[in-house]
Amino acid sequence: MGISTHILDTTRGRPAEGVRVTLEAKVEDAWLKVGEGTTDADGRVKGLLVDSPAKGTYRITFFVAAYFEARQTEGFYPEVSISFLVAQEGQHFHVPLLLNPFGYSTYRGS
């Protein structure tokens, strides 16, 4: 159970290592940080949220500017934020990011 993520750099065809990631839950009109980490060599953040998430709106933010700068690559997006809805408790939510310097895509994974 919980919330997990990973990043694949689609330009390089490899996982994106070393990207800082935060997870927030919307509480009334504010965002509360509930998890954070840095992607490992496989592009994954272990333990972003281990427990089953409560119903509500969540936001994962990927701070990608430093990742592109470290590779001497011009990037258009300094960060990518993905908001999503947890409508049922007791499920696992995997939210991957497919990333390149001038675009990104996401989906609900398994």
Side-chain angles (χ1 to χ4, degrees), residues 5-18:
T5 190
H6 77 272
I7 307 172
L8 177 64
D9 181 335
T10 58
T11 299
R12 297 175 58 231
R14 304 188 48 81
E17 181 179 6

Side-chain angles (χ1 to χ4, degrees), residues 9-11 64 68 73-78 80 98-105:
D9 181 335
T10 58
T11 299
V64 298
F68 288 123
T73 301
E74 178 185 356
F76 185 67
Y77 301 100
V80 175
L98 304 177
L99 178 68
N100 69 66
F102 296 99
Y104 63 89
S105 178

Side-chain angles (χ1 to χ4, degrees), residues 1-4 49-53 90-94:
M1 301 299 161
I3 296 174
S4 61
L49 182 66
V50 177
D51 298 327
S52 181
Q91 296 182 23
H92 177 78
F93 294 85
H94 185 68

Side-chain angles (χ1 to χ4, degrees), residues 22-58:
T22 61
L23 174 66
E24 299 166 293
K26 192 166 190 177
V27 179
E28 297 180 12
D29 289 333
W31 291 99
L32 173 68
K33 188 186 305 181
V34 295
E36 65 182 325
T38 302
T39 57
D40 61 16
D42 198 32
R44 298 180 183 278
V45 178
K46 293 187 171 63
L48 190 59
L49 182 66
V50 177
D51 298 327
S52 181
K55 291 180 182 181
T57 302
Y58 292 81

